Amino acid sequence: MGDGSSGPTMDLLRSEPMQLVQLIIPIESAFRTISYLGDLGLFQFNDLNAEKSPFQRTYAAQIKRCAEMARKLRFFKEQMRKAGLSPSTKSLRSGDIDLDYLEVTLGELESELIEINSNNEMLQHTYNELSEYKLVLQKAGELFHSAQSIVAAQQSELELYNTTEQSVERSLLLEQEITMDPSKQQSVLENAVIDPVLGDEVEKNVFVVFYSGERAKNKILKLCEAGQFFREQTIIFISLLEDSGGVSGRLAELKTTIDVGLAHRSNLLQTIGFEFEHWNFLVKKEKSIYHILNMLNMDVTKKCLVAEGWCPVFAKDQIQNGLRRATLDSNSQIGAIFHVLQTKESPPTFFQTNKFTSAFQEIIDAYGVAKYQEVNPSVYTIVTFPFLFAIMFGDWGHGICLLLATLYLIIREKKLSSQKLGDIMEMAFSGRYVIMMMGIFSIYTGLIYNEFFSVPFELFGPSAYGCRDQSCRDAYTAGLVKVHDTYPFGLDPKWHGSRSELPFLNSMKMKMSILFGVAQMNLGIIMSYFNAKFFGDNINIWYQFVPQIIFLNSLFGYLSLLIIVKWCTGSQADLYHVMIYMFLSPTDDLDDNQLFIGQKFFQILLLLSALAAVPWMLFPRPFLLKKQHEERFQGQSYARLDGSDYPPEIEPHSVSHNHEEFEFSEVFVHQLIHTIEFVLGAVSNTASYLRLWALSLAHSELSSVFYDKVLLLAWGYNSIIARGIGLSVFIFATVGVLLVMETLSAFLHALRLHWVEFQNKFYVGDGYKFYPFSFASLGQDDE
């Protein structure tokens, strides 16, 4: 695996060499050791206490303590959110933590904030009650003033009566009208008021109840307390002589007190916000260290902790330096021991990626994490994925739009990376370099297709074709002759709009799809050879790689050769006829379909090779595996039996070395399934690449329809409004359909071609990722 002094390979083709390591750490330096390893971020700890529950572990009390501090920090964050404040990101800094001091500080701040909130709620409740009392006084005063006005008006009328009996009768009628009319005993408040109990704005009415005597008062109280309607209402007894002047003064004093309390609360939250991110990171860091310590075993002397885990081979010196530094900083008399273990476990897969390659690696990992040190498809995906996308999306105008959008994300990536984006924007931002490559390749293929929003341009010189007479100038239907040299790059612009455009483009793109598909499938089979050679598996080289490469190229490699020869010679041979009768009548003469001398004999040779490749794949391998299994337990030299790609020194525990019965039937059935899958897949996978042609044609036709039937049609009207509407529809259709839906569609189809047609030729993808303990991975919301 290499020595410990070697640096990282920075090689995406194969994962970093890994080693299983045992650390024996003195207890007095254990905390600093884990902390320094977390800063380094190159050691993945194994849980040696998996059988224990969280409450049975050594440092359960410390984790509970950190959880309580984390709860207080969440309380502070919620209070800041309600106050419209956000934690300051400038306060995050590194440094040692005094957990006792931080715990006391957080407790004091929580108590102070709770007390401030409680006082504020009490004052606010009193303020709301007084505000309601003031409104009652005002409305009651208005009612009594209205009643007095009515009495005065009615008294003047009494003077018109001549007898005392008439006067008394009129007075009784007036009193009954005032006291019995409900509309004169209540008043609706114009604006909603804050209810003292609920704390919400509610619509309320002011009622006036006239009574006489204490007994009537008690009855009214009991009625209000028992009634559901009045349960949360305010009952106020007022004097007719009381005014609202005193209440207004008390309200002003309460308002001042509340404002002072809110200002103090705001200052306290701002102080907390400045330190919040730092405290939050320190608490998470502390908790993560104790979580790792809980994964370690205590040795029999109770003086050391034993850790096991994986690390890259190149990190050996860095880890040992961290162990020595932790010993010195802890004033420990005994240093930690670094010991490499021999194991048959499967190591984790670790690729060192950067911000450019990480997105492509994520595309591969979404299908399956690479098995330890098998060939990594992302090396080729960096180029092939955006290129296959661009074949389906070829338009250099649309490509420029994609490129400009991603350049904006790339230029502002530092600012955007610190912000919370939505789900869709987060996906686009994380894949910004993938989309950038997709845009660049789309510009390239768009120049080959000569399409700019479906419009052709003579960018690389004049068209090779011209009109023979005036009749062909209005429509490209006939009369085109070659007047210049061949157009130097891409499609001649005169093909666009001609009668032959669609047949020509269909033929070209369909054949081009087959060429690229066969080339990529051959690349996948070649990668299987490098996998087998790397792991020393000669059986897979001779009885899988060789027959597979022969079978694929005897059929579809030959078809690709015919396409190239036909393009180079300008032959009119029917390739469909050639391929069909190669199987049905291989001995018949080719006649007009012959493209080169000796083609008939060559086809018969290829057909026989393809037929021979099938039993070559099927029969020898199971028998050879059985033979080697028997030799293995006779003490003779042997090759690996399980067909896995692991070297012997890292063979998984699941592969037993006991003398077990070789299940020949199971191995043979597995090989039969694999052979049938490859033979049928060679046909279906080649046909699957025709999606490149189909989606490219669909994208081109949609773009042409939007340009001809929307933009040009609107431009034919001599009206600014019509042209504006047409331009708006064209822009929205282009963005919504071509730049969003078509981009997503082409992306998914390119993804399928890589996951199925390409990777199934060599990629196992049953590994697991290397997740080192690292403080850099502590997210904002991780617990």
Side-chain angles (χ1 to χ4, degrees):
M1 289 186 180
D3 57 28
S5 61
S6 63
T9 63
M10 294 300 291
D11 184 9
L12 271 181
L13 186 61
R14 299 195 186 276
S15 60
E16 292 286 346
M18 307 294 289
Q19 58 189 1
L20 183 64
V21 174
Q22 183 183 70
L23 304 178
I24 302 176
I25 311 168
I27 288 182
E28 60 269 17
S29 62
F31 186 90
R32 286 186 181 273
T33 298
I34 302 302
S35 178
Y36 292 162
L37 290 178
D39 291 331
L40 186 61
L42 289 172
F43 196 94
Q44 174 179 311
F45 289 89
N46 293 339
D47 190 357
L48 303 180
N49 298 312
E51 73 283 354
K52 295 183 179 179
S53 69
F55 304 103
Q56 294 175 326
R57 304 200 182 200
T58 308
Y59 296 94
Q62 286 82 351
I63 289 182
K64 183 178 179 181
R65 186 181 177 191
C66 293
E68 178 62 19
M69 287 190 287
R71 182 198 62 77
K72 294 174 182 178
L73 288 170
R74 289 195 299 271
F75 169 71
F76 295 152
K77 187 174 184 178
E78 178 64 19
Q79 293 296 308
M80 285 187 286
R81 185 191 64 80
K82 291 181 178 179
L85 302 175
S86 58
S88 174
T89 57
K90 298 180 180 179
S91 65
L92 188 57
R93 57 182 183 273
S94 59
D96 293 333
I97 180 173
D98 185 348
L99 194 63
D100 295 332
Y101 173 76
L102 181 59
E103 186 177 27
V104 172
T105 301
L106 295 180
E108 291 175 350
L109 290 173
E110 183 188 32
S111 299
E112 184 177 359
L113 192 55
I114 290 175
E115 183 179 359
I116 292 174
N117 290 340
S118 177
N119 292 337
N120 182 68
E121 290 176 3
M122 183 178 62
L123 291 172
Q124 192 66 46
H125 178 79
T126 305
Y127 181 83
N128 293 337
E129 284 186 340
L130 283 176
S131 299
E132 199 171 72
Y133 184 60
K134 181 180 178 181
L135 289 173
V136 170
L137 288 176
Q138 292 175 349
K139 290 298 179 180
E142 293 175 2
L143 288 173
F144 287 123
H145 179 73
S146 175
Q148 290 174 355
S149 300
I150 294 173
V151 170
Q154 296 293 336
Q155 287 291 346
S156 61
E157 295 180 9
L158 293 177
E159 297 177 357
L160 300 176
Y161 289 89
N162 297 324
T163 64
T164 303
E165 182 179 352
Q166 290 176 327
S167 177
V168 172
E169 180 182 356
R170 183 58 178 167
S171 297
L172 292 174
L173 291 174
L174 176 60
E175 181 180 356
Q176 183 179 5
E177 179 184 358
I178 295 175
T179 56
M180 298 302 294
D181 188 358
S183 64
K184 296 180 173 61
Q185 294 177 333
Q186 64 174 331
S187 176
V188 180
L189 297 179
E190 292 81 2
N191 300 318
V193 297
I194 299 177
D195 188 88
V197 177
L198 301 177
D200 300 327
E201 288 190 351
V202 295
E203 300 287 342
K204 289 193 175 185
N205 291 357
V206 175
F207 290 88
V208 178
V209 179
F210 296 93
Y211 64 91
S212 175
E214 194 68 22
R215 184 176 180 183
K217 174 182 177 181
N218 293 333
K219 287 184 178 181
I220 294 173
L221 279 174
K222 289 180 180 180
L223 180 63
C224 292
E225 290 173 357
Q228 177 68 27
F229 181 76
F230 295 99
R231 182 165 294 175
E232 294 180 347
Q233 308 305 313
T234 303
I235 304 169
I236 303 173
F237 294 93
I238 60 173
S239 169
L240 296 178
L241 301 178
E242 185 174 9
D243 58 25
S244 61
V247 177
S248 299
R250 291 162 61 189
L251 281 174
E253 294 175 359
L254 278 175
K255 181 64 175 174
T256 303
T257 305
I258 291 173
D259 290 342
V260 171
L262 291 176
H264 179 54
R265 180 175 180 271
S266 178
N267 292 334
L268 182 62
L269 289 176
Q270 288 178 359
T271 302
I272 294 173
F274 184 75
E275 297 287 345
F276 180 85
E277 292 295 344
H278 177 53
W279 290 344
N280 195 38
F281 178 77
L282 292 179
V283 170
K284 289 181 179 180
K285 178 180 177 180
E286 190 86 5
K287 186 178 180 181
S288 64
I289 292 174
Y290 284 118
H291 176 71
I292 295 297
L293 287 172
N294 271 339
M295 298 169 67
L296 276 52
N297 262 343
M298 188 80 67
D299 75 331
V300 293
T301 64
K302 303 294 184 181
K303 294 182 180 180
C304 293
L305 292 173
V306 180
E308 286 185 10
W310 295 97
C311 71
V313 172
F314 72 82
K316 178 178 179 180
D317 289 343
Q318 300 177 56
I319 292 174
Q320 288 179 329
N321 290 335
L323 297 179
R324 285 191 289 268
R325 187 159 64 95
T327 301
L328 293 175
D329 293 346
S330 303
N331 297 321
S332 177
Q333 301 299 319
I334 304 174
I337 299 175
F338 181 96
H339 176 58
V340 179
L341 300 176
Q342 298 301 319
T343 181
K344 295 171 185 177
E345 290 185 39
S346 171
T349 301
F350 176 41
F351 294 107
Q352 293 204 94
T353 58
N354 52 40
K355 60 184 180 181
F356 177 79
T357 59
S358 60
F360 292 97
Q361 188 62 54
E362 288 296 325
I363 291 176
I364 302 301
D365 291 344
Y367 175 83
V369 178
K371 187 162 63 177
Y372 179 63
Q373 291 206 318
E374 75 167 321
V375 171
N376 182 18
S378 68
V379 176
Y380 308 97
T381 302
I382 292 174
V383 175
T384 59
F385 184 85
F387 181 63
L388 292 185
F389 169 87
I391 292 175
M392 297 178 277
F393 195 77
D395 188 301
W396 62 279
H398 299 155
I400 289 175
C401 293
L402 281 183
L403 183 60
L404 292 177
T406 51
L407 286 178
Y408 171 80
L409 297 178
I410 292 171
I411 292 172
R412 296 174 59 86
E413 64 181 10
K414 289 186 177 179
K415 182 177 181 180
L416 293 175
S417 61
S418 61
Q419 297 178 357
K420 286 188 176 182
L421 308 174
D423 292 339
I424 297 178
M425 275 301 298
E426 187 67 37
M427 292 174 60
F429 180 73
S430 61
R432 60 194 180 279
Y433 289 101
V434 177
I435 303 175
M436 180 192 74
M437 294 292 289
M438 288 159 49
I440 292 173
F441 277 93
S442 296
I443 294 173
Y444 170 72
T445 56
L447 291 173
I448 292 179
Y449 296 159
N450 201 348
E451 291 187 7
F452 178 82
F453 296 99
S454 79
V455 181
F457 287 92
E458 295 183 348
L459 294 176
F460 302 100
S463 171
Y465 300 94
C467 285
R468 183 164 44 195
D469 50 40
Q470 185 66 29
S471 63
C472 77
R473 296 186 183 275
D474 298 328
Y476 300 133
T477 57
L480 286 177
V481 294
K482 191 170 183 179
V483 296
H484 298 290
D485 293 334
T486 303
Y487 194 68
F489 183 84
L491 193 66
D492 193 297
K494 280 292 192 293
W495 282 107
H496 290 277
S498 69
R499 178 180 295 177
S500 304
E501 176 189 10
L502 198 57
F504 173 77
L505 290 180
N506 276 342
S507 175
M508 181 194 72
K509 291 183 178 181
M510 180 176 63
K511 294 172 182 175
M512 183 179 64
S513 300
I514 294 175
L515 290 177
F516 287 129
V518 173
Q520 190 175 35
M521 288 190 291
N522 271 290
L523 175 63
I525 297 175
I526 292 172
M527 289 303 102
S528 70
Y529 164 77
F530 285 108
N531 265 340
K533 184 178 180 181
F534 180 82
F535 295 116
D537 192 348
N538 290 324
I539 291 180
N540 279 348
I541 292 177
W542 290 106
Y543 302 101
Q544 282 197 180
F545 164 71
V546 174
Q548 285 180 359
I549 204 78
I550 290 174
F551 182 85
L552 179 66
N553 289 286
S554 295
L555 301 180
F556 300 104
Y558 175 60
L559 174 60
S560 302
L561 176 64
L562 292 179
I563 291 172
I564 295 173
V565 172
K566 182 177 180 179
W567 279 350
C568 294
T569 61
S571 172
Q572 298 299 316
D574 186 354
L575 299 186
Y576 297 106
H577 184 278
V578 172
M579 293 302 297
I580 291 174
Y581 283 91
M582 176 180 172
F583 292 92
L584 297 180
S585 303
T587 59
D588 290 354
D589 292 334
L590 297 174
D591 298 329
D592 294 337
N593 291 320
Q594 181 167 329
L595 282 87
F596 55 89
I597 299 174
Q599 181 179 350
K600 176 181 174 181
F601 172 77
F602 188 59
Q603 287 184 178
I604 294 175
L605 180 63
L606 291 178
L607 182 60
L608 293 176
S609 299
L611 293 176
V614 176
W616 191 351
M617 276 187 286
L618 176 59
F619 294 110
R621 190 169 182 270
F623 290 98
L624 290 173
L625 289 176
K626 181 179 180 180
K627 179 183 177 182
Q628 289 187 356
H629 182 270
E630 294 172 351
E631 292 177 350
R632 177 178 188 175
F633 293 101
Q634 293 175 359
Q636 301 178 11
S637 60
Y638 59 89
R640 294 179 56 75
L641 306 181
D642 57 351
S644 72
D645 296 333
Y646 290 114
E649 64 271 15
I650 59 166
E651 186 177 329
H653 283 313
S654 59
V655 180
S656 174
H657 291 275
N658 298 326
H659 195 295
E660 296 179 356
E661 189 69 25
F662 183 79
E663 296 291 342
F664 178 81
S665 59
E666 182 179 343
V667 174
F668 187 83
V669 170
H670 180 272
Q671 188 66 27
L672 175 63
I673 294 173
H674 181 75
T675 302
I676 295 174
E677 181 182 14
F678 179 82
V679 171
L680 297 180
V683 180
S684 63
N685 292 167
T686 305
S688 182
Y689 277 94
L690 294 177
R691 71 185 66 235
L692 298 174
W693 156 52
L695 267 77
S696 174
L697 179 64
H699 185 87
S700 177
E701 290 301 310
L702 276 174
S703 181
S704 178
V705 166
F706 290 153
Y707 179 76
D708 294 335
K709 304 302 181 182
V710 177
L711 188 61
L712 290 186
L713 186 64
W715 229 250
Y717 293 96
N718 191 18
S719 169
I720 297 178
I721 297 177
R723 292 181 177 182
I725 294 174
L727 181 61
S728 301
V729 172
F730 174 76
I731 292 174
F732 281 109
T734 299
V735 173
V737 177
L738 298 177
L739 294 182
V740 177
M741 294 177 62
E742 281 286 302
T743 299
L744 182 60
S745 175
F747 180 92
L748 293 176
H749 283 284
L751 196 64
R752 183 246 154 76
L753 290 176
H754 279 78
W755 280 358
V756 179
E757 280 70 26
F758 175 51
Q759 292 178 194
N760 71 356
K761 303 295 186 296
F762 68 98
Y763 189 60
V764 178
D766 62 352
Y768 64 100
K769 275 188 178 183
F770 174 63
Y771 285 110
F773 172 60
S774 174
F775 296 138
S777 63
L778 293 177
Q780 293 292 327
D781 299 321
D782 293 339
E783 285 298 331

